[in-house]
Amino acid sequence: MEHLAETMTDFLLRRKYITEDTVANFMANRYSSKISKVYSYAYLLMGFVYIPVQLFTVTTIFRTIIPGLSLTWACIIGLVLSISYTVISGVSGANYVSKISCFLMYLSMAIGLIFVMKSIGGFSTLNENLDPSYFTLFSMPTKTWVSWFLTCFVAFLTMQAAIQPSLIAKDDANAKKGIAFGAILNLPCGFICALIGMACVAMNLIGDGNSSAAFATAINAYCPSWLMTLIFASIALIVICTLAGQLLAIGTIFRELLNPVYEKQSFTEKKKLAFTRLIAFAYGFLTIIPTFAIQQSMLTQLVTILVACVTAPMFFALVAGMFWKKMNTKAAMWSIISGLVIGLVWVITGMSNAWHPVYIILPVSSLVGFIVCKATSGKELA
């Protein structure tokens, strides 16, 4: 994880090559407005399914705290809180609140793990009641976890919500600290959540294989009310921060797309901000639709496929544009088009069931971009 953080940091801190505050602006200035729009529309498409993943997590918490709360109202509450938070805090506010909530979450979850383990009889209960595969770090097929790793890596370097905090950092040192700190903090969280969820399964408290529900059920069953409230509140706040960050990024995308209209209508900055927020919030509420249309058990796999199909085609154009002086507009466009097309074909033909799309999109789009760049480098200015 630390190695991944350093690798990502090395990429992101080459900010002398990307001085813009948004990926869309970089694509427009480095290549053309057409490529910038392709990136923007692809990002909006991905967000339509990515946001429901976060909604499912926060709705699980709400429905555990409030028995009988419907999925519809849980989604609405989550979105309203995220939207309100976005309006009030902005990026800087999200940064400070995330730090506080992250500290509270780790402290409360560490204490919660002690309560859970003590209540079920310790780790020996897990060994006795669970299948050995639960304790094998790489029980998941290698090609599956590698594909998820590659997808997360590519998404981190291309998604506006992921890269935006680094682009707006006041200097390289602060950006590097933020990335490394976030990567280090993310690692233990997964182990703590897994152990608590495993306790739920070991005690037969839940049987549908829902990891979020297993975690929430164990906390609800074995932790005192004050600790349960603190854990759920801190996790809900972090998820809401994540949702708010996604909405802020989407607002940035909409702002770039609608800027020609704003300029034509001579909108003031205040009016631009108000209209952009309204459109982003309406978009946010529309994402409730896939929340009901898609089975939760299929959502994680669907999202990793969609994220790969949207972000992997952008990878070569973005990274080559940052590091390779000869990279040009034609190469970027054909790289993106080839990646999008091969990803779509891969999914439609069902080949994604055997091999994740990221395995074919990355090499094909990168190879096409490289060949086109070499073939046109003398005909187009870099």
Side-chain angles (χ1 to χ4, degrees):
M1 179 63 71
E2 292 183 15
H3 178 68
L4 174 60
E6 292 214 357
T7 303
M8 291 179 173
T9 301
D10 289 339
F11 273 111
L12 291 178
L13 295 187
R14 306 287 184 172
R15 297 194 298 173
K16 62 183 178 181
Y17 296 107
I18 177 169
T19 57
E20 294 81 0
D21 58 352
T22 69
V23 178
N25 276 343
F26 170 76
M27 291 292 206
N29 294 336
R30 182 66 172 83
Y31 301 120
S32 68
S33 60
K34 288 183 179 179
I35 292 179
S36 176
K37 287 179 180 179
V38 170
Y39 170 84
S40 298
Y41 289 131
Y43 190 92
L44 293 177
L45 174 63
M46 180 191 63
F48 202 72
V49 178
Y50 182 79
I51 289 177
V53 174
Q54 303 298 330
L55 274 179
F56 267 127
T57 302
V58 78
T59 53
T60 299
I61 294 173
F62 289 157
R63 296 175 78 185
T64 301
I65 298 174
I66 310 173
L69 182 66
S70 68
L71 179 61
T72 302
W73 279 108
C75 288
I76 292 174
I77 292 171
L79 279 172
V80 168
L81 289 174
S82 301
I83 289 170
S84 302
Y85 180 81
T86 304
V87 173
I88 295 170
S89 69
V91 175
S92 298
N95 181 35
Y96 288 113
V97 174
S98 294
K99 290 178 181 178
I100 295 172
S101 57
C102 189
F103 173 78
L104 289 175
M105 181 192 72
Y106 273 114
L107 178 63
S108 60
M109 283 176 58
I111 298 172
L113 180 61
I114 295 173
F115 272 96
V116 171
M117 290 297 112
K118 184 178 180 181
S119 299
I120 68 171
F123 288 96
S124 59
T125 302
L126 299 182
N127 287 320
E128 293 170 3
N129 297 351
L130 292 176
D131 186 272
S133 62
Y134 277 90
F135 304 96
T136 304
L137 186 60
F138 294 107
S139 59
M140 181 185 294
T142 302
K143 68 177 183 179
T144 300
W145 69 260
V146 169
S147 69
W148 289 7
F149 176 89
L150 287 174
T151 300
C152 290
F153 179 79
V154 171
F156 188 89
L157 291 174
T158 56
M159 286 176 61
Q160 179 65 33
I163 200 175
Q164 184 164 310
S166 298
L167 297 180
I168 64 172
K170 63 181 180 181
D171 53 45
D172 290 350
N174 279 277
K176 186 173 183 177
K177 287 178 183 177
I179 295 170
F181 184 70
I184 293 170
L185 282 181
N186 275 331
L187 183 59
C189 179
F191 286 104
I192 295 174
C193 291
L195 287 171
I196 294 175
M198 287 163 63
C200 176
V201 177
M203 301 306 291
N204 294 315
L205 298 180
I206 190 172
D208 63 358
N210 185 328
S211 57
S212 297
F215 172 85
T217 301
I219 293 295
N220 189 36
Y222 299 122
C223 293
S225 57
W226 65 268
L227 182 58
M228 179 190 71
T229 302
L230 183 59
I231 292 172
F232 286 163
S234 59
I235 293 175
L237 187 56
I238 287 176
V239 176
I240 287 171
C241 285
T242 305
L243 273 171
Q246 187 69 18
L247 288 172
L248 282 167
I250 286 170
T252 301
I253 296 292
F254 274 122
R255 169 67 180 262
E256 299 300 329
L257 289 173
L258 295 173
N259 199 53
V261 178
Y262 292 157
E263 295 297 331
K264 187 176 181 180
Q265 298 296 325
S266 300
F267 281 8
T268 62
E269 284 299 318
K270 186 176 181 179
K271 200 170 183 179
K272 290 178 183 178
L273 180 61
F275 269 80
T276 301
R277 281 178 172 173
L278 285 174
I279 294 170
F281 298 159
Y283 170 93
F285 275 100
L286 286 175
T287 61
I288 291 180
I289 296 173
T291 305
F292 302 110
I294 303 169
Q295 291 184 1
Q296 187 171 355
S297 59
M298 298 292 295
L299 195 59
T300 300
Q301 180 67 11
L302 176 62
V303 168
T304 60
I305 290 176
L306 180 62
V307 169
C309 289
V310 171
T311 61
M314 310 293 168
F315 180 77
F316 185 78
L318 179 61
V319 174
M322 293 169 62
F323 293 95
W324 192 17
K325 188 177 181 180
K326 293 183 178 181
M327 185 64 179
N328 59 51
T329 302
K330 287 183 179 179
M333 180 61 79
W334 279 108
S335 174
I336 292 172
I337 291 174
S338 63
L340 291 172
V341 170
I342 193 66
L344 183 63
V345 171
W346 204 257
V347 172
I348 291 177
T349 57
M351 287 188 284
S352 59
N353 295 326
W355 287 92
H356 198 279
V358 73
Y359 287 122
I360 187 68
I361 296 175
L362 275 180
V364 168
S365 61
S366 299
L367 182 61
V368 169
F370 179 79
I371 292 174
V372 173
C373 185
K374 283 295 185 179
T376 61
S377 59
K379 303 176 183 178
E380 181 179 344
L381 292 175

